């Protein structure tokens, strides 16, 4: 369904060509200052078409808060947000009715709903993420204000071009401790904080684009200052909820937290994170953080960090084989 | 919480040293034949101590169905299952009360609940998975009977030793099409279907064990014959639910479906799965399956396959640094 | 929270003076014809101010479908609906900030949220029901088209003036079998199908209004042609879900299904509904329907009928005691 | 389904003739002392057969805690409780297979599940309530310890015999303020605190029993000292959750809170609960409590009180008409 979360609960709506896209965010604590100005910057960051590197369609996504605030303060009631669709014409991809596009949701939507998502009527559009971004902006503001939580996501791989994301490397752990969103955004649209690699990533994308092709990438995210004790044992472990959320993003194909796939080949004696007592904060810390900030599904106060691979975009401008199958 | 699922809903209970562990499974369709004999084999497969390769504790996990069946048929009512704990002594790890074990849940349970999970009182024990396995045996039987669904999981990596799991390699795809549980179980406790690699894996484990150490591994799973149309757009995509479930297993650190992390560096022209029309079944199929059986979060009728890395076991028999921190 | 339902799921938003009120309806089956014209009539019926009997504020509640349909057909995706608030001025009840109004939500909102719901910022406003009505219009259309379900609600009591709603009286059961919404609406704003009583009800309301006072009433509802087998044993019995929904309507103070409170004093030999075999439909029916269409929490194919008492409106134009308490 | 609650979540299992009945209670706070001795008294109170007034079957319902406690303290993990069924023979009502019993769940279970609940295989048995009672005992202990909450339920009507439950009568409100469970239990099995009426109730039951018949009754419940602020606006109002819970009890046909159905005919000027300032507690109170302790769906700190009608038991020992219908 289109709802996620229990205490902070997001419900989204909208397709590519309907009147608007948006969401209802329930469970926002009352008394927090909140206006469109808190949300718009994230929607603007989300927008494709900010550079020649990403798709050139210009989407002017202006958020309008419909409810849940009064005099710039949250009421504790649901916050509805609406972002008008500029392009409300359904069926502008007319050819797609006839043939399902490879690795799009056309075929599966047709099987499940009997409808053609191809015309913009489905929820597999990247515009569906607008409601998530708007909701996330509220969550982020609350977490920052109340617990000084910092969340920074950045690109660590495009195609074959990778920056260091070795969890056993102290340099990478240092990056996780220090990277800021300002730094990431200053790197231009590629949003890779390693300047040497960022240039190569741009070339990698341009290479595939020149070939009328596309390429994938990996996004890594760090969450700092998360309080201890979040997450549930058993099914709703913190990492399980994160994985659920990440794999629900269109085109994501995986998730790893802490040492992830790499950690498999590191013995317990090295993988285990030994404790030490930190005088300044009067609490137990771990010297390494191969666990990625969770133990037994519950946050331990260290950095949460995880990576998510996104496959190459399915829409490519070259002709593809077997396109002319009727369904 | 300890509940997973909406229409087929599992709720588990139990710690290491309480009277019993088990579960309630709600939503099982009525009229299906079901006895303990359907469930016990999976619990026996789950048991550690089946060989010198895994931990030697012998757990005799006998399932007793408490409710939900009559004359060997399901009633449509909740099926409670109970497995007695042989070892009901709490606090047999007395030393652990004093110091949190590195990379165990001792510290986080203490932070969240104010209790010492170390004594067997927490839910981070591997015994918590017993209820999952028992529930899964019911789900598997139903799926097999009603849709001919086949589920086979196997080990593809131990430490540095890997077998081929390249989604772009037709040989691996052939393996996914043909591998059976019988084949996997015939490989001995290592459960790797590639005989050449299996031997090396055993040596890898023995090497670390000899060093009073531990090592991790990757489990790969294929689901065949899943009907098209399963999974929800947006938040409850099929792969998102799978990732949620997999990351909720103790010690798992990641998830990837289809091409996963590897697919990031493969261009769209190669990654896209072209359709063809299969006369025998009168339906659209895809020639490749880099998507891993899902598109737009919905099953497309191809094999679902995914891999999950498990970190090295945190309990190791060598002395570890910084163990004597009071908390 | 502001979400109700599992497979058909409604999430509402909006306060009295925000930009708009509305809802997201998830789980609407695809391929159903649906436009604003299907929803608007129910919103218009809901509007107060249709006559001098109810409150005179004129609300022009125009619904705009935002998403989930294309070319007048549902897509299976969430349907967002928005109804603009004409009156977007917060704080038009300035005096109320100082003193909580008796039997309003002012005090409890203040305790829970630290906000003054009095200014129109809370969810206790009757405008909150707009989203419910809009959602219900979709549900009703689907049920009517697919199962010929008919739902008719009508007023059976105002103050001391009652029409017959004795479940043991065949005349009342006949009314339940035959009453139509057209008939109810033809009775004018009082919506009581018994013409003799309707006039007295109007007088009853006018009497209290003349005294600057208010009075309560009972709404009775019948659902015909509901398929057998709906409702869950145990916690989610059909009548439990109905009671949950009804008691969530502002000002409702109760619920009874079938014989309800009256049935308590009728012995089992008379209360039990004997079966007979109906040749025309080739199925078991019951001769009486004191159960109200449910047995064991599951629909039995007979009429579902229930009554809901609504207390007198708390807003009255006379001066009330103890109003000048600071809080 | 068989699960109720979000933060404190109960899942029950069991039919009349299976091995055991019971429940898993998730969300119990850690560190609370809890043993079987806290739960057994409520199970014993629940048992029918305590006197000649109720059904004579003797059920010896011994609860065994399976998990979630250690050394008599809760761990914060799920608490499983099991109560063995003494009578594990299915099909002891053999005749019932042939004919659905009037006003039992036989017919609806058959329609929904294709099974015969009649043989003890269904969840419509009163034994299903055992898990609820056991769970409730835990909730009650926690609420009493942490907020001094007191919950007392008592019989206010049997057939035509009623005790005073007029919410506008100060004497009834006084009773709600002072009634204790000890007092109720001291009244014998009828559990009506009004001694004069209790005797008549016993005679009423005996009269119908003498006629091989049954009769219904009303249970009224008061909850004292509930903190302000509980309950959610909109769908999950406190009274809506209570109504959901109450209507899920077998044989209940209704619910009313505060003035309920009676309040419909009382004008707003009398129904509204005026506030006063209570110096002793330094908080706002209401002089009357016709609202029943809730306003806008949220507790206001006054007594919560509500009544639930239970229809006459469907199982009667006289021959009933139309029993010999095959289905």
């Amino acid at each position: 369904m289109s709802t996620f979360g229990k205490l902070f609960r997001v419900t989204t709506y909208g397709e590519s060509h309907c009147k608007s896209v948006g969401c209802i965010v329930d469970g926002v604590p009352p008394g927090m200052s909140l206006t469109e100005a808190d949300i718009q910057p994230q929607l603007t960051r989300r927008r494709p078409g900010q550079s020649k590197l990403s798709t050139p369609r210009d989407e002017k996504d202006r958020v309008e808060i419909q409810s849940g605030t009064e005099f710039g303060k949250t009421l504790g009631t649901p916050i509805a947000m609406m972002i008008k669709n500029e392009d409300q014409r359904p069926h502008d991809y007319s050819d797609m009715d006839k043939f399902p596009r490879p690795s799009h949701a056309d075929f599966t939507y047709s099987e499940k709903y009997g409808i053609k998502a191809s015309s913009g009527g489905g929820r597999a559009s990247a515009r569906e993420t607008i409601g998530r971004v708007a909701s996330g902006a509220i969550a982020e503001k609350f977490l920052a204000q109340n617990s000084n939580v910092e969340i920074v996501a950045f690109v660590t791989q495009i195609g074959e071009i990778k920056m260091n994301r070795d969890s056993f490397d102290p340099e990478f752990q240092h990056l996780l401790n220090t990277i800021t969103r300002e730094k990431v955004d200053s790197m231009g649209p590629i949003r890779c904080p390693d300047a040497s690699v960022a240039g190569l990533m741009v070339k990698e994308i341009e290479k595939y684009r020149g070939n009328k092709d596309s390429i994938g990438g990996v996004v890594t995210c760090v969450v700092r200052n998360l309080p201890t004790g979040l997450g549930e044992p058993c099914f709703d472990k913190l990492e399980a909820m994160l994985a659920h959320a990440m794999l629900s993003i269109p085109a994501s194909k995986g998730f790893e937290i802490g040492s992830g796939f790499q950690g498999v080949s590191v013995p317990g004696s090295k993988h285990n994170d030994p404790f030490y007592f930190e005088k300044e904060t009067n609490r137990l810390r771990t010297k390494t953080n191969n666990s990625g900030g969770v133990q037994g599904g519950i946050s331990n106060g260290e950095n949460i960090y995880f990576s998510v691979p996104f496959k190459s975009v399915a829409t490519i401008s070259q002709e593809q084989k077997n396109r002319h199958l009727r369904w």
Side-chain angles (χ1 to χ4, degrees), chain A:
Chain A
M1 310 283 277
S2 294
T3 300
F4 192 75
K6 293 208 174 66
L7 300 180
F8 181 88
R9 185 187 286 171
V10 176
T11 303
T12 69
Y13 74 89
E15 300 83 36
S16 290
H17 302 306
C18 61
K19 279 200 179 172
S20 67
V21 298
C23 57
I24 298 175
V25 189
D26 208 355
V28 179
M32 181 171 83
S33 69
L34 187 79
T35 69
E36 279 89 348
D38 294 303
I39 296 151
Q40 191 61 49
Q42 297 309 319
L43 290 177
T44 302
R45 287 182 82 230
R46 191 209 76 92
R47 281 171 59 196
Q50 297 173 316
S51 80
K52 56 181 179 169
L53 289 178
S54 46
T55 67
R57 260 197 312 156
D58 191 331
E59 299 178 297
K60 290 168 183 160
D61 299 325
R62 289 288 129 195
V63 65
E64 297 172 48
I65 294 176
Q66 298 295 310
S67 68
T69 66
E70 202 175 69
F71 302 114
K73 295 270 184 187
T74 58
L75 293 164
T77 59
I79 296 176
M81 292 185 282
M82 179 226 264
I83 297 93
K84 285 190 185 121
N85 272 335
E86 303 272 313
D87 177 7
Q88 299 179 13
R89 302 160 303 163
H91 260 260
D92 56 345
Y93 309 97
S94 60
D95 184 49
M96 289 168 198
D97 285 357
K98 296 187 196 127
F99 316 108
R101 290 167 295 172
S103 292
H104 280 76
D106 303 352
F107 174 68
T108 53
Y109 267 67
S110 176
E111 289 285 300
K112 189 177 184 82
Y113 297 110
I115 63 161
K116 312 278 185 187
S118 52
S119 66
R123 293 275 283 163
S125 158
R127 283 193 74 73
E128 180 267 322
T129 62
I130 289 177
R132 304 178 184 222
V133 170
S135 308
I138 298 177
E140 187 178 35
K141 180 167 187 181
F142 179 78
L143 292 170
Q145 283 194 341
N146 284 270
S147 306
N148 202 26
V149 170
E150 297 169 343
I151 305 169
V152 187
F154 46 100
V155 172
T156 51
Q157 184 175 348
I158 294 288
E160 304 274 4
I161 313 299
K162 286 187 205 187
M163 64 168 272
N164 174 13
R165 64 166 188 267
D166 176 350
S167 71
F168 298 94
D169 182 338
E171 276 195 41
F172 178 62
Q173 294 291 341
H174 177 72
L175 179 92
L176 294 177
N177 281 327
T178 55
I179 184 78
T180 63
R181 187 171 293 164
E182 290 66 34
K183 169 71 178 169
V184 171
D185 284 357
S186 74
M187 300 305 292
I190 199 66
R191 288 184 179 136
C192 170
D194 181 334
S196 62
V197 175
L200 297 173
M201 287 178 172
V202 171
K203 282 184 189 153
E204 184 84 347
I205 294 174
E206 287 171 345
K207 179 183 77 178
Y208 286 103
R209 174 161 299 172
N211 294 338
K212 299 188 175 182
D213 212 336
S214 64
I215 193 64
V218 173
V219 173
T220 298
C221 180
V222 62
V223 181
R224 292 191 291 259
N225 301 332
L226 200 68
T228 59
L230 297 185
E232 294 283 320
C234 204
F235 295 115
D236 294 341
K237 290 183 165 76
L238 184 55
E239 61 267 42
M241 298 307 291
L242 282 171
H244 185 150
M246 291 304 113
L247 266 294
S248 79
I249 301 174
S252 70
K253 300 301 287 181
F255 173 85
E256 62 180 8
I257 186 163
S259 64
F261 279 87
Q262 182 193 9
V264 159
S265 50
V266 174
S269 59
K270 183 178 174 191
H271 197 292
N272 283 354
D273 297 313
F275 288 101
Y276 72 98
F277 186 80
E278 191 179 62
K279 280 189 192 166
E280 298 82 348
T281 58
N282 196 31
R283 63 187 180 95
L284 284 189
R285 300 285 310 274
T286 64
K287 291 198 170 183
T288 54
N289 183 16
N290 301 314
S291 299
V294 286
Q295 273 147 357
I298 301 168
S299 62
N300 67 358
E302 305 301 324
N303 293 340
I304 307 282
Y305 63 98
F306 54 90
S307 293
V308 180
F310 292 88
K311 71 181 176 75
S312 47
V313 172
T315 306
I316 52 177
S317 51
Q318 64 183 266
E319 183 65 12
Q320 295 183 70
K321 287 179 196 166
N322 300 293
R323 275 288 292 112
H324 298 287
L325 281 161
R326 297 217 164 255
W327 55 333

